[in-house]
Amino acid sequence: MNKALYIHQARGLEVRRDGPSLIIREPDKADRRIPARIISNVVVIGNVRMDAGMVALCAEQGVPITFICSRGKAIAVALPYEYRLPRHHPKQRIFMESESNRRKFELWLRANVRRLTMVCVHNLTGRHQEAYSERPEHEPRAVDYAYLVKQLERTWPAQSRIVREVIDQLFQETIMSVLLANGLDPHVGIIHRYRNLGLVEDLRVFFRPEADYQAVCFFQEVENHEWFDLDDDGYQLRRNGLFAIVERFESRRESIVYVAERLTEQMLRMFGSSVG
């Protein structure tokens, strides 16, 4: 599986193209050479100096780049230019125009979200979830999961928004790379119709419980770390705070990509397209 590349602002750091590879240069450190063919997506955090060749190389390889400011907010996404529409675009458009198809898609997505929510509840509580009809009264439920998320928002209102923004962008970047690799148009959404990156937004609905789970895990550890700075403009994540978010996401990225691939296969069957 190809890897995500994270580039964080640092004094003197520079990223350049060298043939089919990226060269990352930083003062007093050895240059790092990364072949573009092993990169699935790039996340640039803060003000990073890079040449146009680096962006062009990522575009040639079909690798999207997301730019995030030091406060965790996404400011731009660079997508590969393709003068032809993605190969599944026509069937996506036909599927999207039918109201019955949209209802079918929404029911499919809702059922998958319920299953993932129960998995996240299990991960947070360490207890197995029974089916609703057979669940003992003392077992935690989806409502308990919602309580945990609301508690997080009440305890860390400003900080949790920043952390969720970063996590959401990591999911967006990963989902987008899977959709592009499978020939789907990320802009043709079913629920989020007529919106930029509509299909990406549809799948982010599915991954929302996992994003909540990662945010809760982050704040369970925040007491012992200095991960935020406060200035006149509000809170911002320190570099080590961003690293903690990325490290947790990367530890789960392989399974996230696997699930996104399976969801993509199911969508292709719904759209009436062949898988592969």
Side-chain angles (χ1 to χ4, degrees):
M1 182 182 68
N2 289 356
K3 300 293 185 181
L5 174 63
Y6 299 91
I7 307 170
H8 194 284
Q9 174 181 337
R11 182 181 295 275
L13 186 144
E14 182 180 4
V15 186
R16 290 189 162 280
R17 175 178 183 168
D18 184 19
S21 301
L22 299 179
I23 299 292
I24 300 178
R25 290 177 177 158
E26 199 169 352
D28 303 321
K29 293 184 180 179
D31 289 355
R32 286 174 287 167
R33 177 183 294 273
I34 305 172
R37 59 182 171 78
I38 69 169
I39 301 172
S40 64
N41 52 295
V42 178
V43 179
V44 178
I45 303 169
N47 185 18
V48 176
R49 184 178 179 184
M50 59 184 66
D51 68 354
M54 175 265 190
V55 178
L57 178 59
C58 290
E60 290 167 13
Q61 296 293 322
V63 174
I65 307 173
T66 294
F67 297 89
I68 301 177
C69 73
S70 59
R71 295 186 184 277
K73 189 175 181 63
I75 52 178
V77 177
L79 292 175
Y81 174 73
E82 177 59 72
Y83 67 91
R84 293 171 300 193
L85 291 171
R87 67 180 184 274
H88 297 299
H89 173 92
K91 291 185 178 180
Q92 285 179 252
R93 295 287 304 184
I94 293 170
F95 185 92
M96 179 264 290
E97 294 297 338
S98 166
E99 186 177 348
S100 63
N101 284 342
R102 294 197 299 271
R103 284 200 301 268
K104 175 184 174 182
F105 184 91
E106 190 169 358
L107 289 171
W108 167 79
L109 188 60
R110 196 181 302 162
N112 279 293
V113 170
R114 279 199 299 267
R115 282 194 287 270
L116 182 59
T117 301
M118 289 299 100
V119 171
C120 292
V121 173
H122 169 68
N123 289 338
L124 287 171
T125 62
R127 301 165 74 180
H128 177 66
Q129 301 306 294
E130 302 290 339
Y132 282 112
S133 59
E134 301 174 357
R135 178 184 53 79
E137 285 303 313
H138 66 274
E139 286 288 341
R141 301 163 293 172
V143 67
D144 303 308
Y145 171 79
Y147 169 77
L148 288 170
V149 175
K150 288 295 182 184
Q151 189 179 45
L152 175 68
E153 293 171 353
R154 284 194 297 267
T155 308
W156 307 92
Q159 299 93 320
S160 64
R161 282 194 295 272
I162 296 171
V163 170
R164 276 305 306 268
E165 282 232 19
V166 175
I167 294 172
D168 284 345
Q169 292 310 314
L170 299 183
F171 273 98
Q172 175 174 294
E173 182 83 352
T174 301
I175 293 167
M176 197 185 316
S177 65
V178 171
L179 295 177
L180 291 172
N182 284 278
L184 284 161
D185 190 332
H187 296 293
V188 181
I190 310 303
I191 297 173
H192 297 84
R193 290 180 296 156
Y194 312 119
R195 286 178 54 175
N196 287 334
L197 303 177
L199 192 58
V200 177
E201 291 296 320
D202 287 350
L203 288 193
R204 274 177 60 184
V205 170
F206 168 79
F207 284 108
R208 192 168 294 148
E210 169 68 18
D212 289 334
Y213 167 74
Q214 293 196 24
V216 170
C217 289
F218 176 88
F219 282 99
Q220 284 176 342
E221 302 173 5
V222 76
E223 302 266 350
N224 301 319
H225 299 84
E226 295 182 353
W227 283 339
F228 293 95
D229 283 325
L230 179 61
D231 57 26
D232 293 340
D233 295 322
Y235 285 98
Q236 65 177 337
L237 273 164
R238 291 184 176 182
R239 185 171 184 174
N240 58 350
L242 284 164
F243 178 77
I245 294 171
V246 169
E247 186 177 41
R248 177 172 288 105
F249 183 84
E250 280 298 303
S251 71
R252 302 175 66 84
R253 185 174 177 274
E254 187 171 350
S255 62
I256 291 168
V257 170
Y258 175 82
V259 172
E261 291 278 6
R262 300 293 78 75
L263 291 174
T264 299
E265 289 177 5
Q266 293 175 37
M267 284 194 301
L268 287 171
R269 292 190 183 98
M270 274 192 281
F271 299 157
S273 301
S274 57
V275 178

